[in-house]
Amino acid sequence: MRGLMFDSQLLLHSFLWRTERLFADKQIVTRLGPGEYHRYTYRDFGKRARRLGDAMRTLGIGPGDRVGTLAWNHYRHLETYFGVPGIQAVLHTINLRLSPAQQKFTIDKAEDRLLLVDVDQLDLVADLLDLGLPTVEAVVVLADSVPEHRLPLPVHCYEELLAAADEDAQFEEFDEHSASAMCFTSATTGDPKGVVYSHRAMVLQAMCLAMHDKLNMSESQVWLEVAPMFHCNGWNIPHTALLQGATLVLPGAHPSPADYVDIIEDLGVTGMNAAVTIGTMIRDAVRASDRPRDLSTLSTLWLGGQAPSKAVMKWFRDEYDCEVMQGYGMTENSPQICFFALKSTLADGDDDEIYALRQTQGLPIPLLQIKVCDQETREELPWDGQSIGDFFVRSPFTASEYYKDERTKDSMIDGWLRTGDVGCIDPEGYVLLKDRSKDLIKSGGEWISTIDLENSLMLHPKVAEATVVGIEDEKWLERPLACVVPSDPSLTADELRDHLLAEGFIKFWIPDTFLFVPEVPKTSVGKYDKKAIRGVVADEGLERAKAALGAG
Amino acid sequence: MRGLMFDSQLLLHSFLWRTERLFADKQIVTRLGPGEYHRYTYRDFGKRARRLGDAMRTLGIGPGDRVGTLAWNHYRHLETYFGVPGIQAVLHTINLRLSPAQQKFTIDKAEDRLLLVDVDQLDLVADLLDLGLPTVEAVVVLADSVPEHRLPLPVHCYEELLAAADEDAQFEEFDEHSASAMCFTSATTGDPKGVVYSHRAMVLQAMCLAMHDKLNMSESQVWLEVAPMFHCNGWNIPHTALLQGATLVLPGAHPSPADYVDIIEDLGVTGMNAAVTIGTMIRDAVRASDRPRDLSTLSTLWLGGQAPSKAVMKWFRDEYDCEVMQGYGMTENSPQICFFALKSTLADGDDDEIYALRQTQGLPIPLLQIKVCDQETREELPWDGQSIGDFFVRSPFTASEYYKDERTKDSMIDGWLRTGDVGCIDPEGYVLLKDRSKDLIKSGGEWISTIDLENSLMLHPKVAEATVVGIEDEKWLERPLACVVPSDPSLTADELRDHLLAEGFIKFWIPDTFLFVPEVPKTSVGKYDKKAIRGVVADEGLERAKAALGAG
């Protein structure tokens, strides 16, 4: 027996209806330069998003067609988030931080027919076209006018297209399973892997983020979207802001940590989402500033990508009464998997206990199920906070396959996504990841968690950044190596060894080698690039790798 | 092009997974009597809900079968909310306040195969069986044992069934459009109309309630479910509490307003949902108490069914710093349509402006669209706060038809539900209902809103309750008549006339007749029964109606 309910589809433009009707006067603010902001209302935004849909149709884009963007976080990019999926086309946000060869690969694989690009990306686009982009038919420049260029293709001006389009154009209802967007995630080996999101997935996940005890985004918030909009739908922040009518702040092109501090002060930002490294850089920018900085409006700081260090969490709390909340997600999960929330039943814990909880990945969001399975037997493990295994998820917003990619079979197994993370779940349901499965060190038959070592190293007052990787070892097969960026040049390896022992690690876990380096290599999304470090050591040997990494 | 996401279904048992895994130690508390409570954990609840599913299967209940309940708000009734839909059967919560003839109608229409009933309902069930219930095969008594009875059918003991069932039984995945529950709504004319909810509708609506700026229910709350669980899924509070892991408090059988005051004090209740009349009765119970009462833990009071009076709203705020929030819903909408939220852009208003906003029905919840249409031309009207017409809604949780009922065509029109309410929408999107379309008075060609008159009458210090209905008039076709319950016996009709004029009503709107009555007749869900008042006047004439209504 079926329920007798309207079969209204879960479509992103239902959010647009809300913003245009209920929150028309709320603002979207884009930073253009120091102290300079572009502002308009959700009313204007809605009209422009619908105009964009009409313009896309005029350019021959229809249902199922892919449209790529090469753009920073700004209002025009936001318009593409709704204007392209609104006509049932698919928005492919190309990662600005991939290599040109990888970018070409993703554009070819997605078969993008059109590229919408920022002015500062035109040279890159020309280079890509030199490499050959067989599916791309035209380029739209996200600007008031088209500058001189060397593109051998039709090039349109975004603002001219919008001016010529119909602002009364409406988005129709269609199947909620229709693709809305595509992102590519960098793979450990081989080419990037494509994930295709549906309207349904985006709508459901934005609803989860807006819920109490999750991101809890509300209408009254002024939210700064630091995470790149070319990275996994900007962590779904644009959709959630529209759903709730929050003021949305976009940092524009090439933002620096000091720019974020300015924006928070200028606009009274109350919430923000960023990679953990950005959180650390904002702290350092405040410390380096020649005047006191006021971040007191900031009440929610969602840091993702990896576990934030206790030092950073405490700094934001002590300086600005701002709680850092960890959120754990991945491109394959639209992206969110867990959010930290302190259960009322655990709120009596002492400071250390609560910080230990805050360093977990948090609790699974609604509609999502999780499990941990033994890496060899594949059997499900108990939620005892100790049994470590492969971490699996499933939900209506979890990728069921990679786009036209045989590697699907390695990750999507019996209706579950194998995340590639290794960890355990405690009896309360808090997820505690120990490592990416590829980063976990197996040394003399024992598992060594690089994340546990990193977290402890980061607590040392003379350490700015630290990462640990496994390197080949004749006797133990693998041994840990630490790359450390000192904040004080007097730091010695012996101090770090003593520190780790004092933190409770057994001798066998202590890295044999500490490299003091000027910076840790990072991936396109700002995470420590352990693969690169391992690669340098493997290819060059430890002694030459030291030089390659700049180790003193 | 389809998104490549797992096709995980939106099913109520995904909430059960959360409560059992993440909130296992949180409690469900049922009042048994003065100072006496039954408590158990969500862990126990989950096991028992799954046992119930297994027991239902043992009794031959399968997908699509309807199972009726005749029960108060208590933990066993809560178990049926998940145990029955979990096996894809359909829970029909029979309204205890309908007449036996109407109850028989709904049981026959739903074709309930099984009835799950409280001990105090056994006599009623016997009476119903005397009338004949051709589809009912057996009765389960929601108790530890089966008392003596005169039922000519197999009668089972709920606890014995559960004890014999498998607590490891699992609920399978099935189509989210499957029916989960049925409720009947009383019709203006004719028999009750059936609404069939889907799992999808229940899940989506609970997610909306848990969102910020809506009901905002969180894990830390202690929520008292006052709205009857036999009335429209208990306003979806049970589902939302499970989703969020809140402590859920159920008031048990035959609760009185004084009982609610006791429960709030005993358990530190933080949130509560009730009909407006119950809110008023709680205030009166506190006032009548012989000792000071402490309701200071209460921070959210959701009153529904009609607009709460300013007097009641102010009392809760002034006495306990508790904001009364209006929620507007109806059985056909699962039930919620609007919630009040004060936009940050309007928060600067003075007290009167904000109370005027608080007396609106609020803003539409996510996924729901609204419109107001001219009653004659059916054309959509502007959101100007003045253009009054029929109020329509549509969403994935809006009924697309009444169950096997020709009256569908009067209410479900072109993909929208005509709510039967008449009102306008202001430029900010706040909904302001003026009347049920059937209650609106058309007098000499002018519309008169009975709700506006009632709200003003209720502000008079000597008025406890007031309702206004239209009665036939030779000259004007219809004229307003007010039924008033005085809180002070010195109240006169002239005082009320002067009060309404002072409140700004034109003379033509002032009721010709004020009846002072000991109580206003109410419907089975506690609303003023205007139909009954009009009926008495129409059938008996005004003079004899005065006697029938007890007017002094």
Side-chain angles (χ1 to χ4, degrees), chain B residues 12-20 45-46 49-50 171 242:
Chain B
L12 284 175
H13 29 291
S14 75
F15 294 2
L16 202 60
W17 185 93
R18 289 180 72 74
T19 42
E20 290 198 81
F45 167 77
R50 286 183 288 101
F171 297 135
L242 259 84

Side-chain angles (χ1 to χ4, degrees), chain A residues 13-201:
Chain A
H13 29 293
S14 75
F15 293 2
L16 202 61
W17 185 93
R18 289 181 72 76
T19 41
E20 290 198 80
R21 300 289 191 123
L22 307 181
F23 307 115
D25 294 326
K26 297 294 302 280
Q27 288 201 331
I28 296 162
V29 186
T30 301
R31 182 178 187 271
L32 301 177
E36 194 189 346
Y37 295 94
H38 172 277
R39 295 166 187 268
Y40 68 4
T41 63
Y42 273 116
R43 180 181 293 107
D44 299 328
F45 167 77
K47 284 181 188 164
R48 287 171 55 92
R50 286 183 288 102
R51 277 177 186 270
L52 175 59
D54 191 53
M56 288 290 106
R57 286 191 199 105
T58 305
L59 291 178
I61 299 297
D65 287 337
R66 272 79 73 197
V67 174
T69 63
L70 279 159
W72 298 94
N73 290 13
H74 53 64
Y75 63 98
R76 291 185 180 111
H77 203 181
L78 186 71
E79 288 157 13
T80 71
Y81 264 53
F82 289 83
V84 173
I87 61 162
Q88 214 176 347
V90 184
L91 188 76
H92 169 209
T93 50
I94 303 160
N95 188 336
L96 298 187
R97 299 213 186 97
L98 293 181
S99 69
Q102 287 176 314
Q103 289 172 331
K104 171 180 160 45
F105 173 84
T106 67
I107 293 166
D108 289 348
K109 181 98 183 188
E111 299 175 76
D112 294 331
R113 291 187 55 199
L114 201 64
L115 296 181
L116 310 184
V117 306
D118 280 349
V119 170
D120 68 353
Q121 303 297 315
L122 280 172
D123 279 341
L124 168 71
V125 174
D127 292 344
L128 293 174
L129 285 165
D130 288 345
L131 296 172
L133 296 176
T135 62
V136 175
E137 299 162 22
V139 171
V140 175
V141 182
L142 297 167
D144 291 326
S145 59
V146 177
E148 274 196 57
H149 62 83
R150 55 184 178 89
L151 304 188
L153 278 180
V155 177
H156 305 281
C157 167
Y158 184 84
E159 291 299 333
E160 284 173 17
L161 289 175
L162 257 58
D166 180 2
E167 80 173 23
D168 294 324
Q170 297 300 323
F171 296 136
E172 305 299 323
E173 191 156 26
F174 47 73
D175 183 350
E176 68 194 35
H177 294 92
S178 300
S180 60
M182 269 185 101
C183 290
F184 283 80
T185 180
S186 53
T188 317
T189 51
D191 296 315
K193 294 180 280 190
V195 174
V196 185
Y197 305 104
S198 65
H199 280 259
R200 172 179 163 99

Side-chain angles (χ1 to χ4, degrees), chain A residues 465-503:
Chain A
E465 293 187 343
T467 190
V468 175
V469 301
I471 57 168
E472 264 188 63
D473 184 88
E474 270 190 37
K475 183 170 179 190
W476 305 108
L477 292 179
E478 266 194 320
R479 287 295 299 154
L481 168 144
C483 283
V484 176
V485 181
S487 58
D488 179 328
S490 72
L491 180 65
T492 67
D494 281 341
E495 282 179 89
L496 292 176
R497 274 183 210 107
D498 292 345
H499 169 73
L500 290 176
L501 291 170
E503 284 272 310

Side-chain angles (χ1 to χ4, degrees), chain B residues 26-46 48 73-79 142-144 158-159 162 247-253 263 266-267:
Chain B
K26 297 294 301 279
Q27 288 202 329
I28 296 162
V29 186
T30 302
R31 183 179 186 271
L32 302 177
E36 195 189 344
Y37 295 95
H38 173 276
R39 294 166 187 266
Y40 68 6
T41 63
Y42 273 116
R43 180 181 292 109
D44 299 327
F45 167 77
R48 287 170 55 92
N73 289 14
H74 52 66
Y75 63 97
R76 292 186 181 111
H77 202 181
L78 186 71
E79 288 156 14
L142 297 166
D144 291 325
Y158 184 84
E159 291 300 332
L162 258 58
T247 302
L248 183 59
V249 181
L250 303 170
I263 295 171
D266 288 352
L267 303 177

Side-chain angles (χ1 to χ4, degrees), chain B residues 26 33 46 60 127 132 171 173 273 435 447 463 485 548:
Chain B
K26 297 294 301 279
D127 293 345
F171 297 135
E173 191 156 28
N273 58 303
D435 234 321
W447 291 113
V463 170
V485 181

Side-chain angles (χ1 to χ4, degrees), chain B residues 367-387:
Chain B
L367 308 180
L368 180 113
Q369 296 192 3
I370 60 175
K371 67 176 180 181
V372 168
C373 293
D374 186 276
Q375 292 196 289
E376 279 157 26
T377 67
R378 292 218 175 167
E379 277 184 29
E380 190 168 349
L381 297 171
W383 292 22
D384 58 8
Q386 298 183 329
S387 299

